[in-house]
Amino acid sequence: MAPIDGAGPGGWRALAGELARLGRWRLAGVTALVVVSAVAEGAGLLLLLPLLDRLGVTGGGSAAPWPLSTLEGALGLYVVVVVAAALVMRARLLAAARLRLAFTDGLRDRLHAALLRMEWSGFQRLRQADLVHTVIGEVGRAAMMVEWLVAAGAALVTMPVLLAVGGMLSPEMMAATLAAVVVAALLSRPLDRRSAALGRAMGEAARGLHAELTEDLGGLRVIRAFGAEEARRSRFAEGMRELRARQIDHVAAVATSGAGLRAGGAVAAAGGMAVAVHGFGMAVADSLVFVLAFARLTMAGLRLQEMRRHILFALPALEGALALLERAESAAEPPSAAAAPSLERELRLEGVAVRHAGAAAPALADIDLAIPARGVTAVVGPSGAGKSTLADLLLGLLPPERGWLLADGVAVVGAARGAWRRTVGYVPQDAFLFHDTIRANLRVADPAAADAALWRALEDAAAAELVRGLPHGLESVVGDRGARLSGGERQRITLARALLRRPRLLILDEATSALDAESERRVQAALERLRGTVTIVVIAHRAATVRMADHVVVLEGGRVAASGPWQDVAGRTPWLA
Ligand SMILES: Nc1ncnc2c1ncn2[C@@H]1O[C@H](COP(=O)(O)OP(=O)(O)OP(=O)(O)O)[C@@H](O)[C@H]1O
């Protein structure tokens, strides 16, 4: 569990900064509603005096202006004021909810955008389950603070109104009440620190649970294959127990302070009533209204404390979300330039070294390589040789630690990287597809593409027949990560997606698992048809792909061990035999 300490001033400052983003007018609107509802509450209370007067509680008969001079008039006005207060309260709750949702969406949008723009190497260091937890869970928890703040603000504004009502009846008694509220607030300060620490611990527990669930769902095939259901279930149950314990601790802390304040309030109300009547000789009606004001004041104080505790509990969630935002924004890739370097002659790597974030040794070192334009280049090598790292480098995702990636002699660095990537078609090894229709998946490469262009790309990728055969054609949904298609079908759809943008460079990270002979033949045929029209780099795992290449690069231990035509390097690739 996190050490017990309070939320630092940084947390409150961060909250103030986030609220400022919501806009001056929005905040002013909610504040106005809060003030009006507090004044309405005080007015409703004061109206009880002439009402009690008319009812004869104080003997009645005192002069009052119309409509308060008659019982019906006083009752009518009372009802009007209370109904108006209820309507203002409704508007306040609605405005607070709107403010909370604007806070949630604003922060989620900034986080999401920052994560999408992050340098690939920085992004790879983050755990995906933690990101989902922060963007969805923690931001949602942090946003609740907006409503709590409005509720706390309402309590805070109500207090002087109630103090004024009570003060009109007995200034001495009200001064004593105020002193009691301040002492109660000071006495409960240790609980504040506990709330902040519990908030942090609850965030940790919730994150652990989220990570467990994400891994269970992602690795369900392995869990089922190894019969690990019970073990995973008990880990998840342990995570839930931990989370539940933190939540109960928090509720207990809030409930304890509430019970203390309520008990103190009751004792003070009874004592105050006795003192007011016997000590100060207050009229019964006055003392009744006074005690009512006093009770509401205690409730407002109680609510203020409760909201403060809730906010302290949720502040760590905001701090965590803002820390992630800062991390993502400070690791943002440079904005993309408008124009990308051409690829008419060759793609060249000069003295390139690439090191993954946190890795001791570089994944690629001293790479000097020329990839001829419009040729087919196969990259081969044993597992861990650096093939996928090379693909990420050519794609402009990973910047070299040393050396240069040059397209027709122009360095693909800084702002050129994003622009370069828009001219590259990429077919990932896992042939990832979104849980969406084929049309939507293809349009990831070109959102404005017409159906005719989609069909052309499908034809080029030898996938048109496959899509025509699906019950809903382009409208067919492919399932989670494309699970409703076979490995070979997925690869052809991802090839079509890559071709849709008419790339200058096509990078295929070939699936390591064997495709059936028919799928393999179709993909090979598609690549053959593209030969000479686009520069193709294939991370090759199959002999057939290597044989069709004009140029083969053999990587070993992150270095180029050999390069040249297949016949020249064949002896160095026993793993492809
Ligand atoms: N995100 C990462 N963080 C740290 N090290 C990494 C990361 N990705 C890869 N590596 C390391 O870089 C080296 C090259 O990995 P890479 O994935 O490029 O090899 P590969 O040739 O594509 O292997 P395979 O054929 O098994 O996919 C390996 O030593 C690997 O452990």
Side-chain angles (χ1 to χ4, degrees):
M1 198 176 136
I4 305 281
D5 58 355
W12 288 103
R13 254 201 306 278
L15 180 57
E18 288 306 302
L19 288 175
R21 285 178 167 273
L22 295 174
R24 206 180 304 154
W25 291 112
R26 256 195 188 137
L27 293 177
V30 176
T31 309
L33 286 168
V34 163
V35 172
V36 172
S37 73
V39 170
E41 184 174 355
L45 209 55
L46 269 185
L47 275 173
L48 284 178
L49 268 181
L51 245 179
L52 291 170
D53 214 27
R54 296 305 118 217
L55 287 169
V57 176
T58 52
S62 66
W66 186 89
L68 301 176
S69 50
T70 64
L71 176 62
E72 290 72 21
L75 279 172
L77 191 61
Y78 176 73
V79 169
V80 167
V81 168
V82 171
V83 168
L87 290 176
V88 173
M89 169 73 100
R90 178 187 177 278
R92 195 196 91 194
L93 291 176
L94 211 59
R98 288 217 170 91
L99 208 59
R100 169 172 62 82
L101 295 173
F103 181 101
T104 314
D105 289 357
L107 188 50
R108 276 192 189 144
D109 184 46
R110 275 151 66 213
L111 272 166
H112 185 240
L115 289 170
L116 295 185
R117 280 199 302 264
M118 233 179 138
E119 269 296 353
W120 190 241
S121 50
F123 179 76
Q124 278 183 315
R125 302 191 72 165
L126 301 173
R127 190 180 182 188
Q128 284 182 26
D130 289 350
L131 301 182
V132 175
H133 170 68
T134 302
V135 176
I136 303 296
E138 295 292 75
V139 170
R141 191 157 74 98
M144 283 307 296
M145 286 193 290
V146 174
E147 291 203 25
W148 294 329
L149 265 181
V150 173
L156 204 62
V157 175
T158 314
M159 288 172 90
V161 174
L162 293 171
L163 277 171
V165 170
M168 282 163 63
L169 301 168
S170 168
E172 301 87 351
M173 284 290 296
M174 225 49 223
T177 303
L178 186 61
V181 168
V182 170
V183 169
L186 289 176
L187 283 179
S188 67
R189 277 196 76 80
L191 286 173
D192 288 353
R193 282 201 291 279
R194 185 158 166 70
S195 288
L198 282 175
R200 220 161 279 139
M202 137 111 187
E204 283 299 314
R207 184 165 57 180
L209 196 64
H210 210 123
E212 288 291 334
L213 180 62
T214 311
E215 293 216 315
D216 282 354
L217 298 179
L220 193 54
R221 191 191 291 268
V222 174
I223 292 172
R224 298 287 283 272
F226 289 93
E229 292 93 336
E230 261 319 300
R232 296 301 298 185
R233 213 190 115 220
S234 68
R235 275 177 70 119
F236 191 68
E238 177 52 40
M240 284 196 294
R241 254 196 304 282
E242 175 72 18
L243 181 60
R244 196 166 55 229
R246 299 290 78 83
Q247 282 168 325
I248 292 289
D249 284 350
H250 170 59
V251 174
V254 171
T256 305
S257 75
L261 270 168
R262 263 187 203 100
V267 170
M273 181 91 177
V275 174
V277 175
H278 298 304
F280 292 88
M282 223 188 237
V284 178
D286 285 359
S287 60
L288 260 179
V289 174
F290 181 86
V291 167
L292 263 180
F294 177 85
R296 290 206 188 171
L297 193 66
T298 318
M299 288 309 287
L302 186 74
R303 200 149 174 73
L304 196 63
Q305 284 300 312
E306 190 179 314
M307 292 305 122
R308 182 176 157 76
R309 207 136 294 136
H310 278 314
I311 291 170
L312 287 170
F313 183 69
L315 267 183
L318 178 64
E319 289 172 315
L322 292 179
L324 174 63
L325 184 65
E326 195 194 325
R327 183 170 176 182
E329 283 179 342
S330 62
E333 200 181 85
S336 173
S342 64
L343 182 52
E344 294 298 326
R345 287 179 281 121
E346 63 171 15
L347 194 57
R348 181 174 281 279
L349 281 80
E350 278 183 11
V352 164
V354 177
R355 186 192 302 271
H356 289 287
L364 293 175
D366 301 327
I367 306 280
D368 288 303
L369 202 60
I371 296 170
R374 299 206 177 82
V376 179
T377 301
V379 180
V380 298
S383 180
K387 303 183 294 294
S388 295
T389 306
L390 181 66
D392 285 347
L393 175 85
L394 296 176
L395 187 55
L397 263 187
L398 282 178
E401 184 187 49
R402 270 204 314 277
W404 302 99
L405 168 66
L406 303 158
D408 285 352
V410 176
V412 182
V413 287
R417 266 168 63 212
W420 169 252
R421 220 163 31 237
R422 286 202 302 273
T423 69
V424 179
Y426 175 58
V427 182
Q429 192 176 73
D430 62 356
F432 178 88
L433 291 171
F434 293 93
H435 189 310
D436 209 333
T437 61
I438 300 231
R439 182 185 278 109
N441 267 291
L442 294 176
R443 282 190 178 157
V444 168
D446 179 2
D451 278 6
L454 303 186
W455 283 114
R456 208 162 39 240
L458 287 167
E459 292 287 355
D460 290 347
E465 198 186 321
L466 149 73
V467 175
R468 270 189 218 102
L470 294 174
H472 305 289
L474 285 173
E475 275 301 294
S476 309
V477 175
V478 299
D480 205 12
R481 303 175 79 92
R484 288 183 205 158
L485 299 172
S486 76
E489 289 168 346
R490 268 206 306 277
Q491 202 175 40
R492 279 182 282 148
I493 301 288
T494 48
L495 178 58
R497 179 176 63 189
L499 296 178
L500 185 64
R501 60 164 42 166
R502 308 241 147 240
R504 294 176 193 168
L505 170 66
L506 177 66
I507 303 174
L508 282 102
D509 204 343
E510 218 174 49
T512 33
S513 54
L515 296 182
D516 64 80
E518 180 57 16
S519 290
E520 189 172 328
R521 196 190 59 73
R522 282 171 190 270
V523 175
Q524 293 299 325
L527 291 182
E528 269 309 334
R529 278 206 301 278
L530 293 168
R531 186 195 285 278
T533 63
V534 53
T535 309
I536 301 177
V537 175
V538 195
I539 310 289
H541 294 279
R542 279 182 287 279
T545 320
V546 182
R547 277 191 208 103
M548 72 167 284
D550 310 311
H551 189 76
V552 179
V553 177
V554 183
L555 279 184
E556 270 176 25
R559 289 167 193 273
V560 177
S563 77
W566 164 238
Q567 294 79 0
D568 297 357
V569 300
R572 305 204 55 147
T573 54
W575 52 87
L576 269 174

